[in-house]
């Protein structure tokens, strides 16, 4: 993409309304623009990152055996009356009356609707297990929306639901999600730690929140630093193996890791050697939850078991904050100059800065690098504006592309361009061909 | 995908509520399920088609120079008061009051919101032209929703907006869209004809609707059959060439093609030779419209021109009914047995039917075909259920995959499988390798 053809309205000023780095940087880098309190338009740069998050979530959901559906944003109130949540949900639910005076609502979550889909379609244990998920906009009418996309009112979420014949099968579905989430966040270049969460009146061990560590996180977290050293890496995972998944789950969930809500100071001290006791702040980006027959019972989602008897299905629900992840990734990856994108999320793979736009040799070299990166299957952003070098560097630093190729007449005389890492700031002089090859190799092309 | 792992709730009965083929077939083939009147959940099979439509629209929008954004579904009423449309819009607009008693609405369209984005970011003619679009859910509270996704209340639409400094530039943006739409529909395997549409009080030639011909279409259309013979094919299009685009636009819009709303019977008879006068029915799937300063004036979207004077920008808006297209494609492509997907939209590239599930040789042959199609970058659907051949054939015919590979012990004894075209019903016996190669070649792999 040529920058002159890309709608990228950068802000010079610090936006007064933004209290945290990600909100400030998303506004300044032309990623979002507020439409109303807690409601944002995603501008082209931000939308590209949002799509990357979505794509990775979709791919990892498919890999572990979930089927993608798409439920509507507007739901009938009657379903929520069946589950008893219509009155219980409170003023965060956006309630709507249609032109025929029917009560509707903008879905804040989808347990009722997916259970309705399930009960209308599945009648035998032979059709289980099922995992259905979607990535769809939700609305929660927060009293005080703040922190940009981190606590907005309209937000994009992946929510998934599992249906199983019994508790052992349901725990396997839960483990599928836990491991798929580990892979999802790891692929995004983010360190997200599963932490024991409250299961409420249902009890049991089967609720975890995933938190990304960042100084601006909303929760205080307490953890055994051993969990930070764990990584799935390239290991092949058989999601159908109950024992295999359980072993991975154990590895990640045995070390102490809790938020302030479930923290147990005495246990923390007794279970974790002092040198590994770590207290940080974290941002919640995922939550998985096994809740049994909480919705299948009232909504009548039953199947015939092997013996013919009708059984209410065992369910779980599993969320990832897709739009929130964009903000959380910035909280964990930025400096004074701007965003520093992990390679998996970056809106463009590399920036090309032409130090002397209009110089025939520099223009030709930039175009050639652009074409070669494109031919390698990468998407570069070429700053072809007629602007000073300082302005171009500041823009690249602000929007945070991981790699920048700087092209100028002086370097070209010696046959080189400069390749700069946004994260380390280190530069190296390379021939244009070598710079392209290096960037392609970084992205595995 | 193995069918036993894919949520595909087929209906045996004809759904009583469905009046047209696409609605009936989408329900029977497990593509959608109604959540409320005019509001649908997209089940896995339907969602895959919807994503294909989206992908093609995105690719063709990028090719002609548009930038993707994403505006929210919920908008503040105040913007619509600025344009004067808040009161004018009528009861089709879903009006909402939030917890702080602010008037909001579920966007039925986005002229106001995009103009607000533009006016907040662009101040000079040097930043023009701009074309911004998004694919987002809209809501129109139809009095009598019907025909499934063809006239639902919550629907997915691509809407784009162009911003130009003067009328000549705006017409170029209009032409970009007209040609991009021709390519978009042609790639989907659909014959969509641009027809002169009403421009209302603004006048001029610059509004066209795109209609797909189908017997169940909502509009009567009158056209010179010559337009049906036109095709862009593989020609390279330079979207930056004003003359080049105008020539294509002239070629498609000179032949008579109008809906009953703009039909001129006298002109039809005088301008079209009798043998080419064609009267059919059509389904609207796109609409493009140049409307000048209708929104930029009241909303104050002005830029400094070359002489420094402030000029209200010239705008156009351009829609494609993304969810509607899924229904329209079925109306134009089905028979008594079910859907017949064009290759570009099909949810799976080919079906594999195992005539004797559990037979070691048949199972192995199916798996090998499955693996080879996958290795070629295709996504097959393997019916691995323990069902009779007739049940499997009926399911494949209903869901409409263009190609079916049938594998059975008898054929394997002679070293062959059967490759069947859904559209023609013709079968040929081929070695498994040849069948895979043929399917791969059809999809250009």
């Amino acid at each position: 993409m040529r920058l002159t053809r890309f709608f990228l309205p950068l802000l010079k000023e610090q936006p007064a309304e933004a209290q945290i780095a990600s909100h400030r940087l998303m506004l300044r880098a032309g990623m979002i623009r507020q439409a109303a309190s807690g409601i944002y338009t995603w501008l082209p740069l931000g939308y590209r990152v949002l799509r990357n998050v979505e794509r990775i979530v979709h791919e990892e959901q498919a890999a572990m055996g979930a089927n993608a559906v798409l439920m509507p944003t507007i739901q009938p109130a009657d379903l929520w009356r069946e589950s008893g949540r219509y009155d219980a949900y409170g003023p965060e639910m956006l309630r709507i009356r249609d032109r025929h005076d029917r009560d509707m609502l903008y879905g804040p979550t989808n347990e009722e609707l997916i259970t309705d889909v399930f009960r209308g379609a599945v009648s035998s244990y032979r059709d289980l297990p099922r995992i259905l998920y979607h990535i769809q906009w939700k609305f929660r009418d927060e009293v005080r929306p703040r922190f940009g996309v981190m606590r907005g009112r309209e937000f994009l979420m992946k929510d998934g639901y599992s249906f199983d014949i019994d508790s052992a099968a349901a725990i396997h579905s839960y483990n599928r999600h836990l491991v798929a989430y580990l892979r999802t966040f790891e692929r995004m270049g983010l360190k997200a730690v599963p932490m024991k969460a409250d299961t409420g009146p249902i009890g049991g061990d089967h609720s975890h929140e995933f938190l990304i560590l960042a100084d601006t996180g909303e929760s205080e977290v307490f953890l055994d630093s051993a969990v930070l050293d764990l990584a799935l890496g390239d290991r092949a995972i058989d999601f159908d193996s109950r024992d295999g998944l359980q072993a991975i789950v154990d590895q990640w969930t045995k070390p102490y890791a809790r938020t302030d809500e479930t923290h147990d100071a005495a246990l923390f001290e007794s279970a974790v050697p002092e040198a590994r006791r770590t207290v940080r702040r974290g941002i919640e980006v995922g939550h998985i939850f096994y809740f049994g027959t909480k919705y299948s019972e009232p909504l009548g989602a039953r199947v015939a078991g092997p013996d013919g008897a009708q059984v209410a299905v065992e369910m779980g629900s599993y969320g990832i904050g897709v739009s929130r992840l964009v903000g959380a990734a910035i909280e964990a990856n930025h400096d004074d100059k701007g965003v520093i994108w992990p390679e998996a999320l970056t809106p463009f793979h590399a920036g090309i800065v032409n130090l002397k736009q209009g110089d025939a040799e520099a223009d030709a070299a930039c175009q050639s690098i652009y074409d070669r990166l494109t031919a390698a299957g990468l998407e570069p952003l070429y700053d072809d504006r007629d602007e000073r070098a300082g302005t171009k560097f500041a823009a690249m630093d602000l929007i945070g592309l991981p790699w920048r190729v700087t092209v100028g007449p002086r370097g070209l005389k010696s046959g080189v361009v400069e390749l700069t890492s946004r994260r380390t700031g280190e530069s190296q002089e390379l021939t244009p061909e070598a710079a392209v090859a290096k960037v392609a190799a970084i992205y595995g092309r």
Side-chain angles (χ1 to χ4, degrees), chain A:
Chain A
M1 180 68 71
R2 284 170 168 265
L3 189 42
T4 52
R5 297 195 157 217
F6 190 68
F7 183 59
L8 184 69
L10 304 179
L11 298 186
K12 291 215 180 66
E13 304 77 34
Q14 294 290 355
E17 71 270 33
Q19 300 167 41
I20 60 170
S22 61
H23 189 192
R24 205 159 48 232
L25 289 171
M26 289 181 77
L27 290 168
R28 287 195 53 215
M31 292 180 64
I32 54 169
R33 182 185 157 81
Q34 184 174 299
S37 170
I39 303 178
Y40 292 89
T41 291
W42 292 75
L43 302 179
L45 192 77
Y47 182 61
R48 292 178 72 93
V49 180
L50 190 67
R51 296 267 292 186
N52 285 340
V53 174
E54 269 191 272
R55 182 178 40 75
I56 293 171
V57 171
H58 274 305
E59 288 173 4
E60 295 303 328
Q61 289 293 300
M64 68 89 161
N67 290 169
V69 301
L70 190 57
M71 289 177 266
T73 60
I74 302 296
Q75 305 180 14
D78 282 345
L79 267 181
W80 289 67
R81 294 200 173 98
E82 278 190 67
S83 73
R85 286 210 292 180
Y86 186 67
D87 295 322
Y89 210 91
E92 282 196 6
M93 183 188 277
L94 194 64
R95 291 152 208 266
I96 302 169
R97 193 156 280 182
D98 75 7
R99 69 190 292 173
H100 297 301
D101 269 337
R102 284 174 295 218
D103 286 324
M104 313 290 287
L105 56 95
Y106 198 122
T109 177
N110 288 63
E111 281 82 2
E112 284 81 357
L113 199 48
I114 198 73
T115 306
D116 180 55
V117 166
F118 179 89
R119 73 181 173 183
V122 179
S123 56
S124 162
Y125 76 98
R126 275 188 294 261
D127 294 327
L128 301 183
R130 282 286 169 230
I131 298 173
L132 303 174
Y133 79 98
H134 72 162
I135 298 181
Q136 178 60 295
W137 292 90
K138 313 278 188 296
F139 202 96
R140 287 183 198 157
D141 202 357
E142 300 269 352
V143 188
R144 254 184 344 118
R146 57 192 183 282
F147 306 150
V149 302
M150 298 272 284
R151 191 176 286 267
R153 294 198 287 171
E154 187 169 329
F155 58 97
L156 189 61
M157 193 170 150
K158 172 259 160 183
D159 43 320
Y161 305 90
S162 62
F163 303 88
D164 284 283
I165 189 65
D166 58 28
S167 166
I171 286 166
H172 184 212
S173 291
Y174 182 89
N175 288 347
R176 279 183 196 269
H177 282 87
L178 197 147
V179 177
Y181 278 29
L182 291 175
R183 280 236 302 212
T184 301
F185 298 124
E186 198 172 302
R187 266 191 68 188
M188 292 180 189
L190 303 172
K191 181 64 85 179
V193 180
M195 303 198 185
K196 186 181 164 66
D198 248 335
T199 50
I202 292 173
D205 277 339
H206 290 96
S207 178
H208 285 89
E209 294 176 331
F210 287 77
L211 285 97
I212 289 176
L213 303 185
D215 296 342
T216 50
E218 68 232 320
S219 316
E220 193 164 27
V221 300
F222 304 83
L223 46 91
D224 180 341
S225 63
V227 76
L228 297 175
D229 299 329
L230 298 172
L232 288 170
D234 289 336
R235 79 174 84 170
I237 295 167
D238 176 2
F239 281 99
D240 292 334
S241 161
R242 288 194 184 186
D243 292 346
L245 285 195
Q246 190 62 56
I248 299 174
V249 168
D250 289 345
Q251 201 186 356
W252 256 267
T253 59
K254 288 269 160 76
Y256 190 98
R258 299 196 182 183
T259 68
D260 39 18
E261 279 180 24
T262 52
H263 181 51
D264 177 336
L267 179 62
F268 189 45
E269 293 198 10
S270 66
V272 187
E274 190 168 1
R276 299 211 311 251
R277 274 178 228 147
T278 306
V279 182
R280 296 279 297 274
R281 301 198 68 83
I283 300 166
E284 186 195 335
V285 292
H287 195 162
I288 60 178
F289 196 47
Y290 163 44
F291 49 67
T293 59
K294 181 175 172 189
Y295 298 95
S296 58
E297 280 286 4
L299 287 161
R302 296 191 177 81
V303 298
D307 59 357
Q310 293 285 309
V311 190
V313 292
E314 296 278 325
M315 291 175 59
S317 77
Y318 313 90
I320 292 179
V322 173
S323 49
R324 164 170 262 234
L325 264 167
V326 179
I330 295 176
E331 289 298 332
N333 295 281
H334 70 275
D335 62 15
D336 291 347
K337 292 187 267 181
V339 185
I340 305 170
W341 287 114
E343 267 95 1
L345 299 182
T346 185
F348 294 96
H349 297 101
I352 303 170
V353 167
N354 188 341
L355 292 177
K356 199 167 180 189
Q357 203 71 38
D359 176 87
E361 207 189 346
D363 290 1
C366 286
Q367 186 64 47
S368 157
I369 292 167
Y370 184 93
D371 291 343
R372 277 187 250 186
L373 287 170
T374 305
L378 299 175
E379 294 187 281
L381 179 67
Y382 171 18
D383 190 344
D384 61 342
R385 295 176 301 168
D386 186 16
E387 294 279 2
R388 288 178 311 112
T391 303
K392 292 187 176 188
F393 289 147
M396 282 292 170
D397 284 344
L398 176 58
I399 68 175
L401 310 185
W403 298 95
R404 186 185 79 207
V405 184
T406 307
V407 179
R410 202 177 313 165
L412 288 175
K413 283 216 164 54
S414 329
V416 295
V417 298
E418 195 180 60
L419 180 64
T420 308
S421 158
R422 173 69 181 88
R423 191 170 291 275
T424 66
E426 283 167 26
S427 289
Q428 48 189 316
E429 294 198 331
L430 296 167
T431 63
E433 295 73 19
V436 167
K438 175 134 193 189
V439 173
I442 286 161
Y443 289 102
R445 309 295 163 104

